[in-house]
Amino acid sequence: MTPGFWLPALTNILRAEGLDGWIATAFVVPPICALVSPLVGGALADQRIAADRLFAWSSMVGAIAIAGAFGCLQAGFDPGWFILLLAIYSIASGPTWGLLATISLTHLARKENQYPQVRLGATLGWMAAGVATSYVLKADTSPTAGYAAAVAKMLAAVCALFLPRTPPLGLSRSWRSLAGLEAFRLLKQRDHCVFFLVTALFSVPLTAFYMYSPEHLKVLGDAYPTATMTIAQWSEIAAMLAIGGVMTRFRIKTLLSFALAFSVVRFGMSAYAGWSGLIGWHIGGIALHGVCYTFYFITAQVFLDRRVGADLKGQAQGLLGLVSAGLGPLAGALFCGWLHDSLVTPDGEGWMSFWAILALLIAICLGIFLRFYRGQARQAEDG
């Protein structure tokens, strides 16, 4: 729920405050922070601190930081203060998705079937936040969205105190392990290396979804872009209800390939909307985004839980966070920002080329994955 309040609205909020030149910076800062904190958080959960308590404390710090960030924005302080507090929020929040995955996958008996149902809570929270931002708070362009995010973050911290106890399982006390660097051992295995490389590359064009889909909706005539963005979460619900059964029938390679292929179609639909001016195609692409995201990243988390030893599970999820919320989005914010400024004009032209180039990048990811990822037989994956 926390990012659902502020992230889809951030571009329009900064534009309303006259800070167009800070948009790219605001989207670059969180992934820079995610270069370190997910790995360190995963290492702490593996070696030192119970994952449930680490999640609670990091959420409390994140809530205070995000409230302060949007408070500075509303008060008209130098934008640097907003960026600094956003960075603190991002450092504190960086490990949380990995920690939740570790807690869930540790305690669930039937992971493939049950974990997507648990993860559905994040989708419902994001949807509720988007609807509330547009229709209740009227905050599509207001810092109020950030205050609502802070309240949700603090409530998450309180709820985390009631999560099942998830103590560290690792035994190593080396500095490499405590810094989260042991996770890089996974890259010595061919499939893991290909998987993390493709995930990082795939996350580059995905950044544009959050940065520019709301703006394109406004150009196409949508008065409530933040609420419209929640359509992706409606499709996520359907995907999460289905993916448990799908995981028991298909190989990991098949599911990840499926997600990449349909992501090409998804960005192609937005490209067609840019050419035709028909908003329905862009909305259709947003809806398909939810399916693609679920089938790739939920499968990815279960894949790591299956293939990684108990002493590295937290760090493996942290490494996934590093590439999917750090390296990929960092490159994506820079590249997509440059691509947008180069192609999209103030009068709304250039959207077709913008989305089409991103679709081509995902097609390249699919080609790399199909060519170099070997995978295991169904029996090996399940065992």
Side-chain angles (χ1 to χ4, degrees):
M1 200 170 193
T2 300
F5 276 116
W6 70 270
L7 185 57
L10 182 59
T11 297
N12 292 329
I13 291 172
L14 292 176
R15 289 197 190 284
E17 296 290 330
L19 300 174
D20 298 50
W22 288 84
I23 292 174
T25 303
F27 278 93
V28 164
V29 166
I32 288 178
C33 298
L35 293 176
V36 178
S37 61
L39 277 180
V40 174
L44 289 173
D46 282 339
Q47 309 293 341
R48 293 282 186 176
I49 305 173
D52 51 298
R53 290 298 181 264
L54 185 57
F55 178 88
W57 285 109
S58 62
S59 295
M60 289 180 189
V61 174
I64 295 170
I66 198 69
F70 281 91
C72 290
L73 194 65
Q74 186 173 40
F77 290 179
D78 186 283
W81 287 104
F82 172 76
I83 297 299
L84 174 62
L85 288 165
L86 184 63
I88 295 172
Y89 161 82
S90 301
I91 291 172
S93 299
T96 53
W97 290 110
L99 291 172
L100 283 177
T102 298
I103 295 166
S104 299
L105 294 170
T106 296
H107 295 281
L108 295 175
R110 294 179 293 109
K111 300 172 184 180
E112 290 83 355
N113 289 323
Q114 293 176 314
Y115 179 61
Q117 297 171 21
V118 173
R119 181 61 175 74
L120 186 60
T123 302
L124 294 175
W126 186 292
M127 291 173 59
V131 172
T133 297
S134 286
Y135 296 114
V136 178
L137 302 175
K138 309 292 185 182
D140 281 289
T141 58
S142 168
T144 301
Y147 300 144
V151 172
K153 192 74 169 177
M154 188 60 71
L155 289 174
V158 173
C159 291
L161 298 176
F162 300 94
L163 285 169
R165 192 72 170 170
T166 312
L169 298 176
L171 300 176
S172 174
R173 292 294 184 267
S174 70
W175 70 269
R176 285 179 55 84
S177 180
L178 295 176
L181 299 180
E182 290 293 333
F184 288 100
R185 291 187 352 225
L186 299 173
L187 300 182
K188 295 180 181 179
Q189 302 177 38
R190 177 187 173 116
D191 280 355
H192 288 154
C193 185
V194 173
F195 164 74
F196 282 114
L197 173 63
V198 169
T199 300
L201 294 175
F202 181 39
S203 298
V204 171
L206 287 187
T207 308
F209 174 76
Y210 304 104
M211 288 180 70
Y212 296 117
S213 285
E215 180 184 344
H216 195 191
L217 285 169
K218 288 195 71 173
V219 169
L220 293 171
D222 189 350
Y224 301 101
T226 306
T228 302
M229 291 285 286
T230 64
I231 291 174
Q233 279 66 56
W234 284 105
S235 63
E236 273 191 31
I237 291 177
M240 286 186 186
L241 292 175
I243 194 172
V246 173
M247 278 188 190
T248 62
R249 292 175 173 83
F250 295 95
R251 297 173 60 199
I252 293 291
K253 181 175 183 178
T254 301
L255 293 179
L256 295 177
S257 300
F258 170 88
L260 291 170
F262 273 83
S263 293
V264 177
V265 176
R266 171 262 174 278
F267 277 81
M269 293 174 71
S270 291
Y272 185 76
W275 177 77
S276 65
L278 299 175
I279 192 173
W281 284 93
H282 188 42
I283 293 175
I286 291 171
L288 189 56
H289 174 89
V291 177
C292 299
Y293 183 92
T294 298
F295 270 77
Y296 192 90
F297 286 100
I298 298 300
T299 301
Q301 289 181 314
V302 174
F303 159 75
L304 289 176
D305 186 74
R306 285 179 179 176
R307 301 276 291 269
V308 175
D311 61 327
L312 279 178
K313 287 184 184 294
Q315 293 176 72
Q317 298 292 344
L319 184 57
L320 177 62
L322 184 150
V323 299
S324 64
L327 290 174
L330 173 59
L334 296 172
F335 174 75
C336 296
W338 169 80
L339 189 67
H340 175 272
D341 293 344
S342 300
L343 297 177
V344 179
T345 63
D347 59 356
E349 298 295 325
W351 285 105
M352 182 193 74
S353 299
F354 176 75
W355 294 116
I357 290 173
L358 297 179
L360 176 61
L361 291 179
I362 299 176
I364 293 172
C365 291
L366 176 60
I368 294 172
F369 187 76
L370 291 174
R371 174 65 180 82
F372 296 104
Y373 184 91
R374 292 173 177 167
Q376 295 181 346
R378 278 291 317 162
Q379 292 82 359
E381 284 185 353
D382 293 338

